[in-house]
Amino acid sequence: MASTLSKHDINGDWASSAPNLKKNLSLLSSEQIELPKMLLEMGQSHLFEHWPEPGVDDDEKRAFFDQVAKLNASYPGGLASYIRTARELLAESKEGKNPFDGFTPSVPSGEVLTYGDENFVQFEEAGVREGRNAAFVLVAGGLGERLGYNGIKVALPSESTTGTCFLQLYIESILALQDASCRLAEGGCKRQIPLVIMTSDDTHARTMELLESNAYFGMVPTQVTLLKQEKVACLDDNDARLAVDSHNKYRIQTKPHGHGDVHSLLYSSGLLNKWRDAGLRWVLFFQDTNGLLFKAIPAALGVSATKQYHVNSLAVPRKAKEPIGGIARLTHSDGRTMVINVEYNQLDPLLRATGYADGDVNSETGFSHFPGNINQLIIELGHYIEELTKTGGAIKEFVNPKYKDSTKTAFKSSTRLECMMQDYPKTLPSSARVGFTVMDTWLAYAPVKNNPEDAAKVPKGNPYHSATSGEMAIYRANSLILRKAGVKVDDPVNQVFNGQEVEVWSRIVWKPKWALTFSEVRSKVKGSCCISQKSTMVIKGRNIFLEDLSLDGALVIDSVDDAEVIVGDSVQNKGWILESVDYKDASVPEEVRIRGFRINKIEQLEKSFNESGKFCLKP
Ligand code: UTP
């Protein structure tokens, strides 16, 4: 039962600046009374200006305080702290203050890997060994406004040959790493690698449903934890007056706070200490639609373990001025240093302001000196806990108001504070070992962020980051990996789908348990194999070996784990072909039309080996 209010609370002068609130105080319980007090102290009396007499809309008024209580509880330091920070950041923004004032950028040190060489293979081995000491964190609370897909992004097929959605691909990759790592452990191990998924009100229910209706894609349900981020209050002006929702005058308008919330949520969940007590050492953060990521994870984790990095950012070579953040070491005139992502539109002016007259230019390698951040982080758990204990997981925020005019006094629409996961190193001491691992883009990075119309407008040479390019990148990576392992894979052909010209390689897909690392791929390819451009190859079983295979058509092969299957000789059939579909054709399912093609399965050789033993597939 809520306790009743004291006389002071009901009659007190504290509410005299908001007479409409004062009249309604009897609606509140004594636990709630601190909330309006705080709001008035923080200059928010406008929120009550339109409140009618008691007896009118009382339930809505109570709901207002429920919302305020939630906003207060879900922000480190509460709503008052949010408003104070907002005022500071809005004042700095109005002044035009550069957040990097006083800092000089230089190129940080990190590891640049070449796929498949001895060094890479060694890092992969080290990474697989460490895999059982890792926890994975998927940030999947984003709306995906740019993509405009009606479902959640993790439910989108990563490719349409098998229709495997991103979440399934991620979970199967983590399970493959778990198995491979546990096999290396002395005496075996039974550890289940934890997976946390950060959701939001926009994605939570559908993420849960996707997991439940697919038996967690093979994970044990207790292995997966969903942490829901809350939105933050919107701000109407430079005094950080909270914005009233235009659809409901008893609600404060809210918007997403950004993926930086993941740190405070993990901290407050208590999971980090649990993981440390269970002997885990690494937390790997990743995003919702990168179908290539797990090809880079083993080696990157190996780099973290070998170099003892507290923070390791995965990166790709970046062309100067390419719209992707650059990882830079920043040194302040007062001696502070940090290794941090600098957004591309800040990097060039920062360089010019600090003595690099040409700004962000390519080096003799043809790429920028500063590697491109792909926002996948590997953080050492012990150090992470130490830091979060100091900060509570709060991440340096920023505000990005769109001003009505040059006086910078009014906004075009309400704004809010935001924070980014990759800003975590900003609060670290200079002694922290923050590095990066650069991998080829074809291996590590192909997110699905843009809708077909916007992707088609991307300037030539820049990546589309669409469902079309994300899928094609998977075929290209698998083709290039097989080539590196000695398979003769035909060159791609160029085709246009949804107005985007892409390279179409042989549609080669394998389950992560077939091969997670280059050594595994190499061990499963023997003799002289070749695959034509029109071919499709799907490998689903673990112990499937390609030996003198000549494929010109479609081949789908599955086996139970204790079957060993050799696939050889010549496989020839009409295969599966890509047929263009129009993005605007509403009769085609959305997940198909956003990539601009469908797969017409004309003819294939499909075989499943369901018993243990040794088999040969020779048609
Ligand atoms: P994106 O940059 O893709 O942003 O987020 P978004 O919000 O999903 O998409 P747009 O900008 O509206 O088009 C990068 C990653 O961070 C997650 C996303 O789900 C994605 O994995 N994210 C983003 C969150 O988890 N929470 C947020 O508040 C924002």
Side-chain angles (χ1 to χ4, degrees):
M1 269 300 275
S3 46
T4 49
L5 297 175
S6 70
K7 262 204 169 115
H8 162 80
D9 286 333
I10 294 174
N11 302 324
D13 289 338
W14 63 269
S16 54
S17 65
N20 291 343
L21 165 67
K22 197 171 171 184
K23 281 186 238 164
N24 282 286
L25 286 179
S26 56
L27 293 173
L28 294 172
S29 67
S30 63
E31 288 86 28
Q32 282 179 321
I33 202 76
E34 292 309 317
L35 296 173
K37 278 187 186 165
M38 175 271 294
L39 287 174
L40 296 192
E41 273 164 30
M42 297 308 297
Q44 306 293 334
S45 58
H46 67 285
L47 293 171
F48 308 100
E49 267 164 15
H50 55 268
W51 276 31
E53 297 295 313
V56 182
D57 295 342
D58 285 354
D59 286 344
E60 287 294 346
K61 292 171 192 161
R62 287 192 193 95
F64 170 85
F65 283 109
D66 290 343
Q67 185 199 16
V68 173
K70 199 161 151 189
L71 288 171
N72 195 47
S74 59
Y75 185 82
L79 206 42
S81 161
Y82 179 78
I83 295 165
R84 270 192 292 272
T85 308
R87 283 189 186 137
E88 277 167 31
L89 292 175
L90 285 163
E92 286 176 10
S93 167
K94 188 173 179 198
E95 266 172 47
K97 193 175 163 199
N98 179 346
F100 295 120
D101 259 358
F103 283 102
T104 305
S106 58
V107 183
S109 68
E111 202 61 40
V112 180
L113 303 185
T114 305
Y115 183 78
D117 71 7
E118 240 350 271
N119 190 41
F120 186 90
V121 166
Q122 277 173 18
F123 279 127
E124 275 198 327
E125 269 173 39
V128 171
R129 214 169 280 285
E130 280 299 322
R132 61 180 176 275
N133 300 324
F136 283 82
V137 179
L138 166 61
V139 290
L143 256 179
E145 273 174 330
R146 282 170 291 168
L147 184 62
Y149 175 53
N150 278 311
I152 48 169
K153 288 189 274 175
V154 289
L156 203 61
S158 56
E159 37 78 13
S160 37
T161 295
T162 66
T164 304
C165 73
F166 283 103
L167 189 55
Q168 177 172 7
L169 177 65
Y170 292 154
I171 288 185
E172 289 181 348
S173 301
I174 294 169
L175 290 174
L177 179 63
Q178 176 180 297
D179 285 353
S181 189
C182 282
R183 279 200 300 271
L184 291 181
E186 250 176 64
C189 100
K190 296 233 166 316
R191 191 171 272 163
Q192 294 166 349
I193 296 178
L195 169 65
V196 166
I197 307 176
M198 181 171 80
T199 57
S200 66
D201 278 326
D202 299 315
T203 62
H204 186 83
R206 286 177 292 174
T207 306
M208 199 67 214
E209 194 190 314
L210 182 65
L211 285 165
E212 299 223 306
S213 57
N214 289 284
Y216 286 73
F217 296 111
M219 271 194 172
V220 180
T222 51
Q223 208 171 343
V224 186
T225 310
L226 266 57
L227 297 177
K228 184 160 76 74
Q229 63 176 146
E230 297 297 338
K231 291 183 179 166
V232 288
C234 291
L235 309 158
D236 261 343
D237 57 24
N238 285 330
D239 289 330
R241 277 154 52 102
L242 303 182
V244 176
D245 190 330
S246 58
H247 303 294
N248 182 342
K249 61 183 181 177
Y250 299 104
R251 288 291 180 286
I252 293 168
Q253 190 194 0
T254 59
K255 283 188 184 167
H257 190 217
H259 42 55
D261 276 346
V262 73
H263 302 293
S264 62
L265 272 178
L266 277 176
Y267 180 67
S268 59
S269 72
L271 283 169
L272 299 176
N273 289 337
K274 235 170 96 179
W275 291 345
R276 181 194 46 202
D277 296 346
L280 300 193
R281 289 188 57 205
W282 308 102
V283 190
L284 290 90
F285 296 85
F286 64 113
Q287 305 198 12
D288 52 18
T289 58
N290 182 7
L292 299 183
L293 177 71
F294 277 84
K295 298 186 185 302
I297 286 288
L301 182 54
V303 169
S304 274
T306 311
K307 302 260 161 183
Q308 298 289 302
Y309 280 151
H310 293 134
V311 181
N312 181 9
S313 293
L314 268 68
V316 293
R318 165 183 182 279
K319 290 270 184 204
K321 303 190 180 65
E322 192 181 324
I324 145 173
I327 297 174
R329 172 179 293 282
L330 299 182
T331 307
H332 199 271
S333 44
D334 65 12
R336 276 179 292 147
T337 64
M338 58 184 173
V339 176
I340 195 78
N341 171 67
V342 181
E343 292 299 326
Y344 74 98
N345 52 352
Q346 294 175 318
L347 186 59
D348 187 70
L350 181 62
L351 284 161
R352 287 175 196 276
T354 50
Y356 301 88
D358 297 333
D360 182 17
V361 285
N362 289 328
S363 71
E364 64 285 353
T365 61
F367 290 97
S368 159
H369 296 274
F370 301 93
N373 169 42
I374 63 167
N375 246 351
Q376 329 279 335
L377 303 175
I378 305 179
I379 302 186
E380 197 269 322
L381 179 60
H383 194 261
Y384 189 46
I385 293 176
E386 247 174 65
E387 286 308 313
L388 295 196
T389 309
K390 291 182 221 155
T391 62
I395 293 301
K396 282 241 178 287
E397 293 161 299
F398 61 96
V399 68
N400 191 12
K402 306 277 177 284
Y403 298 108
K404 270 199 177 137
D405 56 41
S406 59
T407 62
K408 294 189 172 179
T409 42
F411 308 155
K412 284 186 184 155
S413 61
S414 67
T415 189
R416 85 288 198 181
L417 299 191
E418 293 176 76
C419 62
M420 301 191 292
M421 171 170 92
Q422 66 271 29
D423 279 345
Y424 165 72
K426 279 193 174 164
T427 50
L428 294 183
S430 302
S431 58
R433 289 187 296 277
V434 185
F436 60 80
T437 305
V438 179
M439 311 248 190
D440 292 313
T441 307
W442 66 260
L443 180 75
Y445 192 50
V448 177
K449 285 183 188 286
N450 293 325
N451 64 63
E453 274 161 11
D454 291 344
K457 287 186 220 142
V458 164
K460 208 167 172 54
N462 280 338
Y464 297 122
H465 289 173
S466 65
T468 317
S469 62
E471 171 158 358
M472 290 302 159
I474 292 175
Y475 305 141
R476 178 178 55 181
N478 288 342
S479 296
L480 291 175
I481 290 171
L482 283 189
R483 267 190 180 179
K484 187 91 194 160
V487 179
K488 190 183 153 303
V489 182
D490 274 0
D491 283 339
V493 296
N494 280 9
Q495 269 182 274
V496 176
F497 298 112
N498 281 344
Q500 303 154 54
E501 185 172 351
V502 286
E503 284 185 357
V504 182
W505 290 77
S506 316
R507 272 71 65 212
I508 299 170
V509 189
W510 59 76
K511 286 269 185 202
K513 71 174 173 184
W514 182 68
L516 201 61
T517 60
F518 180 58
S519 324
E520 276 185 286
V521 174
R522 218 168 29 184
S523 71
K524 286 175 172 164
V525 173
K526 295 171 180 184
S528 153
C529 297
C530 57
I531 300 177
S532 70
Q533 188 279 332
K534 74 161 226 213
S535 292
T536 298
M537 180 168 73
V538 180
I539 306 178
K540 296 181 176 172
R542 171 174 288 148
N543 296 309
I544 292 173
F545 297 84
L546 310 182
E547 194 173 315
D548 298 322
L549 168 71
S550 165
L551 175 62
D552 186 30
L555 169 67
V556 181
I557 180 139
D558 196 0
S559 66
V560 291
D561 282 357
D562 39 10
E564 209 180 287
V565 183
I566 293 175
V567 184
D569 274 8
S570 166
V571 177
Q572 236 180 340
N573 54 48
K574 293 199 181 92
W576 295 359
I577 55 169
L578 303 187
E579 286 177 353
S580 293
V581 296
D582 182 1
Y583 173 53
K584 297 199 182 78
D585 182 351
S587 68
V588 178
E590 195 184 3
E591 50 278 12
V592 175
R593 63 190 157 92
I594 59 170
R595 56 199 79 222
F597 59 85
R598 71 156 72 83
I599 293 183
N600 186 355
K601 300 180 177 179
I602 299 178
E603 192 188 3
Q604 68 279 325
L605 174 66
E606 188 161 8
K607 191 96 178 116
S608 231
F609 294 86
N610 300 321
E611 283 159 30
S612 61
K614 293 197 172 195
F615 304 93
C616 235
L617 176 80
K618 294 200 187 209

